[in-house]
Amino acid sequence: MSAVQREIVTPAEARDALLSQVDDRLRGLLAAETSRWSAVDPRAAVPVEAVAALIASGGKRLRPAFCLSGFLSAGGDPAWEPVAVDAAAALEFLHAFALLHDDVLDDSPLRRGETTAHERHASVHRAAGWAGEPRRFGEGVAALAGDLAHIYADRLVSALAPAAREIWHELRTEVIIGQYLDIRVAAERIADPELSRWIAICKSGRYTVHRPLVLGASIAGRQDLTPAFTRYGAALGEAFQLRDDLIDAFGDSAVSGKPTGLDFSQQKMTLLVTLAMRRDDRVSRVLAGQSGDGAGDGATLAQIVTDLNVRGEVERRIDHLVEQAQAAIAAAPLDLEWRDELARVAVETAYRQK
Amino acid sequence: MSAVQREIVTPAEARDALLSQVDDRLRGLLAAETSRWSAVDPRAAVPVEAVAALIASGGKRLRPAFCLSGFLSAGGDPAWEPVAVDAAAALEFLHAFALLHDDVLDDSPLRRGETTAHERHASVHRAAGWAGEPRRFGEGVAALAGDLAHIYADRLVSALAPAAREIWHELRTEVIIGQYLDIRVAAERIADPELSRWIAICKSGRYTVHRPLVLGASIAGRQDLTPAFTRYGAALGEAFQLRDDLIDAFGDSAVSGKPTGLDFSQQKMTLLVTLAMRRDDRVSRVLAGQSGDGAGDGATLAQIVTDLNVRGEVERRIDHLVEQAQAAIAAAPLDLEWRDELARVAVETAYRQK
């Protein structure tokens, strides 16, 4: 897209035009890999197809969108658009990697309304009556498919300059450490609101909003936007995660495509639960596992959170965080049209249904 | 090391000097990451420590050694040594990633004489009486530690030129596809010697010898060495894998640090087994799973392979492959001293005890 054209399209149109290039990039790379490995043996393409199935199952493409918004709002040179598109596609592959491994860690049966990879391949194994353990096979396929998505993500950031590459490494390292702390805190039933808040912000907020925006701006050579995007990303990232918790707790599985109440049954220390803890000691007692029965505890937790109407409190906190994000962007050295667009995106992200 | 110095040291001394820099690089990066994440929370460093434990547990550093041999034998400019050292360290981190995930896929209890990460962390979970399933937690830690090692590997190849980076992507993609075919063939009990040979060469041979050598030569700007290193690597890689099969089947666990007979009990279609198949139909029948009992089949397989003295045949094939590798290197455009060194390394690799 030339600079001339960019003047006559809205920021959202410009971003969506590049987002469709991101989808082409994802599909193109996967199609090439599928045909390449199928030529060796039809079976060899199975891990590639597992990645392709997840990518094709939709998703909000939030991270690519924030990366491209960071690039375009920073006035990125059209000559660098292919690099920005590849980086945005890399973020989507990285997300596929994180989801494939995360669904095994959480033993989640459903993702984007479809059976998760480890469940699907365990069923294939079971139905075919293959040798060995269906669970190990299914989880193995999901692990390898995730590793492959991770490799594809890296392939697409080859052209990044050192500063942008550092953001990339930082982003994915944080996600892994956050994932570990997430399962560790759930296992130990640690009721530490501050640690849990850090985990939620590290593995979800920064990864979804802050780092992709800063990455896009860095590709455009605008390190000066880092402070504003960091404030915007920190606030919106937390709002994003709080909404995620509400969708998990009270959402409609048919809309979200994810099981409802999974965080409760796994006693995840979500931001929602940390807020409930501050209001009622029973939450800590349940999380400390006084009743040993996980499922029972999950139900109790859901009931307490509902009784306390923490939901209303969380909605108010989301409102406050959206205002913070909008204030940060209003003060940013960006074109007026992009400040308006990012303010609109904050609302769209914080009040989404799925 | 300056060019002058290089003239007065043997090829092995030059390589070993860089290999010690590789170990410094591995330890340095891990120490920095451990202290960085410990500052957030002592628990946050656990996945880093799991990587560090595997790296510290030894291993032959074969892949770094072949990468550095490729670089030095190609007359790599000392100015590029830091890039070669980083790439060699990256290969060791990538190997740690592959082993951490592979040990989960194979449910292997032992690696380099120590309890595998997934077993160790499942025990920690069990001993502490944490919530949830010890197995899922232990396998989760191993998966995340592997992902982290994968990220560290990538950090270290940031400075690679596009041609070298392509070799890097190729190498790790092959390993993942090879891993999948490995578990798939074992699950389906496919008795296809050609497919199994391809898998063994793809996931082990190329990954251990051929690609690291070519990667090192590419950093030195010597693409002209690719044909010779490919021939040498293909032959030595197969010899390496055959030795691996013999060590697994008949080796001394106390020496190898790995369980003995694991391939048999999992009915892996190793090169050893494919050779046995050509000699005796009973092998195919066992692999086709006429007796359903995996362990029993494993014992039968071991007995048949011993009866047939396939071991002697494999040793003769290794001799032949070593001759092929030496012939390839004898014809390579390399200094005489490096041709001798790589010929010596072929013997050392093919006739190793562990």
Side-chain angles (χ1 to χ4, degrees):
Chain A
M1 187 188 311
S2 79
V4 178
Q5 280 171 288
R6 190 177 297 165
E7 284 158 19
I8 58 161
V9 298
T10 67
E13 288 167 342
R15 185 194 51 234
D16 294 347
L18 291 188
L19 266 178
S20 71
Q21 291 183 39
V22 168
D23 271 333
D24 296 344
R25 195 81 174 90
L26 295 166
R27 271 196 301 272
L29 193 155
L30 289 164
E33 283 286 294
T34 303
S35 59
R36 175 196 169 182
W37 292 110
S38 304
V40 172
D41 185 283
R43 301 175 190 90
V46 168
V48 186
E49 287 155 2
V51 176
L54 182 58
I55 294 283
S57 71
K60 301 177 283 291
R61 305 286 194 255
L62 271 179
R63 294 147 196 90
F66 278 115
C67 175
L68 294 170
S69 296
F71 175 78
L72 290 167
S73 67
D77 181 336
W80 280 85
E81 276 177 7
V83 175
V85 166
D86 279 4
L91 286 167
E92 197 60 24
F93 271 130
L94 191 74
H95 191 49
F97 149 71
L99 295 180
L100 283 160
H101 285 193
D102 204 20
D103 286 339
V104 174
L105 297 183
D106 296 343
D107 193 23
S108 181
L110 212 60
R111 170 69 64 183
R112 294 173 181 169
E114 296 178 17
T115 308
T116 46
H118 68 285
E119 286 279 343
R120 193 163 62 252
H121 289 274
S123 306
V124 168
H125 185 286
R126 210 174 287 110
W130 287 339
E133 189 195 17
R135 169 181 170 176
R136 188 165 301 280
F137 181 82
E139 293 181 0
V141 176
L144 293 169
D147 293 339
L148 205 53
H150 192 180
I151 291 168
Y152 294 154
D154 262 315
R155 279 197 190 181
L156 291 172
V157 295
S158 297
L160 288 186
R165 188 180 304 278
E166 264 319 298
I167 298 165
W168 171 253
H169 292 318
E170 191 67 11
L171 174 154
R172 55 186 176 153
T173 307
E174 280 173 345
V175 171
I176 300 303
I177 300 294
Q179 297 268 41
Y180 170 72
L181 285 174
D182 202 34
I183 60 169
R184 173 72 181 265
V185 161
E188 270 195 81
R189 294 179 164 173
I190 297 164
D192 175 343
E194 271 324 296
L195 179 58
S196 299
R197 187 160 179 284
W198 185 87
I199 294 167
I201 286 166
C202 172
K203 77 169 270 202
S204 181
R206 282 191 204 160
Y207 161 67
T208 304
V209 187
H210 164 194
R211 302 270 183 217
L213 267 173
V214 172
L215 178 60
S218 169
I219 294 169
R222 289 285 304 276
Q223 270 70 356
D224 64 301
L225 288 167
T226 302
F229 280 164
T230 300
R231 278 193 300 276
Y232 174 87
L236 184 54
E238 184 173 348
F240 168 85
Q241 185 54 46
L242 283 168
R243 179 62 58 195
D244 224 44
D245 295 347
L246 289 176
I247 290 168
D248 183 281
F250 310 109
D252 176 354
S253 184
V255 177
S256 70
K258 291 181 284 195
T260 298
L262 199 63
D263 289 342
F264 284 142
S265 63
Q266 293 175 338
Q267 290 155 57
K268 284 278 178 75
M269 278 287 289
T270 62
L271 291 176
L272 179 67
V273 169
T274 60
L275 287 170
M277 279 179 61
R278 297 204 180 103
R279 301 262 300 266
D280 192 320
D281 300 346
R282 285 180 300 161
V283 177
S284 316
R285 283 200 298 276
V286 174
L287 287 165
Q290 251 104 59
S291 106
D293 161 36
D297 289 345
T300 318
L301 218 51
Q303 192 52 56
I304 297 170
V305 170
T306 311
D307 295 348
L308 294 170
N309 186 25
V310 177
R311 193 172 175 174
E313 187 184 337
V314 170
E315 289 290 357
R316 285 192 298 281
R317 173 138 184 86
I318 289 174
D319 298 339
H320 173 67
L321 288 163
V322 169
E323 285 161 21
Q324 279 190 341
Q326 295 183 325
I329 222 60
L334 297 170
D335 297 348
L336 175 59
E337 56 178 0
W338 266 107
R339 292 207 299 269
D340 293 345
E341 171 60 15
L342 288 168
R344 190 191 63 72
V345 166
V347 172
E348 190 178 81
T349 306
Y351 300 106
R352 72 192 190 279
Q353 296 300 307
K354 60 182 226 174
Chain B
M1 188 187 309
S2 79
V4 178
Q5 281 172 290
R6 190 178 299 164
E7 284 159 22
I8 59 160
V9 297
T10 67
E13 287 167 342
R15 185 195 52 234
D16 293 347
L18 291 188
L19 266 178
S20 70
Q21 291 182 39
V22 168
D23 271 334
D24 296 343
R25 196 79 174 90
L26 295 167
R27 272 195 300 272
L29 193 155
L30 289 165
E33 282 288 292
T34 302
S35 60
R36 174 196 170 184
W37 291 110
S38 303
V40 171
D41 185 281
R43 300 176 192 89
V46 167
V48 186
E49 288 154 0
V51 177
L54 182 58
I55 295 283
S57 71
K60 302 176 281 295
R61 306 285 194 256
L62 271 179
R63 294 146 197 91
F66 279 116
C67 175
L68 294 169
S69 295
F71 174 78
L72 290 168
S73 67
D77 180 339
W80 279 85
E81 275 177 7
V83 175
V85 166
D86 278 4
L91 286 167
E92 196 61 24
F93 270 130
L94 190 75
H95 192 48
F97 149 71
L99 295 180
L100 283 159
H101 285 194
D102 203 20
D103 286 340
V104 174
L105 297 183
D106 296 343
D107 193 23
S108 182
L110 213 60
R111 171 69 64 185
R112 295 173 180 169
E114 297 179 15
T115 308
T116 46
H118 68 286
E119 286 279 342
R120 195 164 61 249
H121 288 275
S123 305
V124 168
H125 185 287
R126 210 174 288 109
W130 287 341
E133 188 194 18
R135 169 181 169 175
R136 188 165 301 281
F137 181 82
E139 292 181 2
V141 175
L144 292 169
D147 293 337
L148 206 53
H150 192 179
I151 291 168
Y152 294 155
D154 261 316
R155 281 197 188 181
L156 291 173
V157 296
S158 297
L160 288 186
R165 188 180 304 279
E166 264 319 297
I167 298 165
W168 171 254
H169 291 319
E170 192 66 12
L171 174 154
R172 54 186 178 154
T173 307
E174 280 172 345
V175 172
I176 300 301
I177 300 294
Q179 298 268 41
Y180 170 71
L181 286 174
D182 202 34
I183 61 169
R184 173 73 182 266
V185 161
E188 270 197 80
R189 294 180 164 174
I190 297 163
D192 175 344
E194 269 326 295
L195 178 58
S196 299
R197 188 161 178 283
W198 185 87
I199 294 168
I201 286 164
C202 173
K203 78 168 269 203
S204 181
R206 281 192 204 160
Y207 160 68
T208 304
V209 187
H210 164 194
R211 302 271 183 216
L213 266 174
V214 172
L215 178 61
S218 169
I219 294 170
R222 289 285 303 276
Q223 271 69 358
D224 64 301
L225 288 167
T226 301
F229 281 163
T230 300
R231 279 193 298 277
Y232 174 86
L236 183 54
E238 183 173 349
F240 168 84
Q241 185 55 45
L242 283 168
R243 179 63 58 193
D244 224 43
D245 295 348
L246 288 176
I247 290 168
D248 182 282
F250 309 108
D252 176 354
S253 185
V255 178
S256 71
K258 289 181 286 194
T260 298
L262 199 63
D263 289 343
F264 284 143
S265 62
Q266 292 175 339
Q267 289 155 56
K268 285 277 177 76
M269 278 287 289
T270 62
L271 291 177
L272 179 67
V273 170
T274 60
L275 286 170
M277 282 178 59
R278 298 204 178 104
R279 301 262 300 265
D280 191 320
D281 300 348
R282 286 180 299 162
V283 177
S284 318
R285 283 202 297 278
V286 174
L287 287 165
Q290 252 103 59
S291 107
D293 161 35
D297 289 347
T300 318
L301 218 50
Q303 192 52 56
I304 298 170
V305 170
T306 310
D307 296 348
L308 292 170
N309 186 25
V310 177
R311 191 172 178 175
E313 187 185 333
V314 171
E315 289 290 357
R316 285 192 298 282
R317 174 139 184 83
I318 290 173
D319 298 340
H320 173 68
L321 288 163
V322 169
E323 285 161 20
Q324 278 190 344
Q326 294 183 324
I329 224 59
L334 297 171
D335 297 346
L336 175 60
E337 55 177 359
W338 266 108
R339 294 207 298 270
D340 293 346
E341 171 61 15
L342 288 169
R344 189 191 64 72
V345 165
V347 171
E348 190 178 81
T349 305
Y351 300 105
R352 71 191 189 282
Q353 295 301 307
K354 59 182 221 170

